[in-house]
Amino acid sequence: MVEHLQRYGVISSMKVAEVMETIDRALFVPDGASAYADSPMAIGYNATISAPHMHATCLQLLEQNLQPGMHALDVGSGTGYLTACFAIMVGPQGRAVGVEHIPELVASSIKNIEKSAAAPLLKEGSLSVHAGDGRQGWPECAPYDAIHVGAAAPEIPQALLDQLKPGGRMVIPVGNMFQDLKVVDKNMYGSISILSETSVRYVPLTSRDAQLRGY
Ligand code: SAH
């Protein structure tokens, strides 16, 4: 899967190739699913695990902000796949936090991570996953060098902007029917610049009730 993404130019970074080889996607998809196919997959509760090329794209966009010792937040952490990748990249001196509003997905993501190469980081506490509304971020471990949002927001939540460190970067899909993957950079003086990376299709960042009703 990783070689395929490298061959097609999706992965150009060695570090991202390495981390996606270290964290085995097969441990994070439903049993029996074709783990290495390049497509999103339903994981229950009207949620999906993103396609490998989206995981790779987001990891590459955030690579400079996932250096050892840095703090990373994964909003809508779902299966826990990207949270585990973040934890490997920031290492034991860093902090990787997942926030997910479906408690069952939080529980299953912790089980997935326990089977993965990120298990020691979960045990030592540099990696954690919490049940909560990710639109509020996770203030306890803020500010963050990297924030990833795995669901499309109608607009960028202010709490997430506030929890971004000067010099930090957030990658967030924004929109409703039509969405853009936005790259939000906060400079050293705190001002924000936003670029659109590509068109995407994510499940909405919404309330738990709306999601369980089927939006
Ligand atoms: N990166 C994850 C993506 C999962 S899909 C993965 O690849 O596994 C998006 C996730 O966002 C879903 O699990 C959904 O339950 C969650 N979500 C949607 N709105 C949310 C909110 N307000 N707070 C926290 N999680 C939310």
Side-chain angles (χ1 to χ4, degrees):
M1 174 187 91
V2 170
E3 269 171 34
H4 180 90
L5 294 172
Q6 286 176 304
R7 195 165 331 122
Y8 285 88
V10 179
I11 300 182
S12 54
S13 147
M14 273 312 292
K15 189 107 199 102
V16 168
E18 244 172 63
V19 73
M20 289 185 70
E21 271 165 0
T22 304
I23 300 297
D24 186 355
R25 186 175 169 89
L27 302 171
F28 292 80
V29 300
D31 282 346
S34 44
Y36 308 117
D38 194 16
S39 60
M41 236 172 261
I43 56 171
Y45 312 96
N46 296 318
T48 56
I49 178 170
S50 300
H53 74 268
M54 279 317 306
H55 283 158
T57 298
C58 292
L59 284 167
Q60 284 195 164
L61 288 169
L62 290 169
E63 184 177 359
Q64 297 315 314
N65 296 71
L66 294 168
Q67 304 288 331
M70 289 185 167
H71 283 209
L73 174 67
D74 186 19
V75 171
S77 48
T79 60
Y81 181 84
L82 267 188
T83 326
C85 291
F86 291 170
I88 297 282
M89 290 176 81
V90 301
Q93 309 305 324
R95 197 76 177 74
V97 178
V99 183
E100 165 58 53
H101 67 171
I102 306 288
E104 291 87 345
L105 288 178
V106 174
S108 59
S109 69
I110 289 172
K111 288 211 181 83
N112 299 340
I113 293 165
E114 280 169 346
K115 289 185 243 153
S116 80
L121 300 169
L122 183 68
K123 203 157 173 227
E124 289 156 18
S126 66
L127 162 55
S128 58
V129 185
H130 309 271
D133 186 344
R135 293 172 291 190
Q136 304 306 319
W138 195 258
E140 279 87 327
C141 303
Y144 298 96
D145 300 278
I147 298 181
H148 169 263
V149 183
E155 54 196 38
I156 301 171
Q158 186 60 42
L160 298 183
L161 285 172
D162 293 343
Q163 289 173 35
L164 197 59
K165 197 183 270 187
R169 169 174 281 193
M170 167 160 45
V171 172
I172 177 170
V174 179
N176 297 299
M177 276 287 281
F178 299 97
Q179 306 160 4
D180 280 325
L181 190 67
K182 304 266 188 197
V183 177
V184 180
D185 286 309
K186 187 183 268 190
N187 75 13
M188 286 305 180
Y189 306 101
S191 60
I192 298 286
S193 63
I194 305 178
L195 286 175
S196 287
E197 180 66 21
T198 177
S199 301
V200 288
R201 193 79 202 260
Y202 279 73
V203 302
L205 186 74
T206 182
S207 70
R208 187 168 49 215
D209 283 353
Q211 184 173 328
L212 293 177
R213 273 200 310 270
Y215 310 110

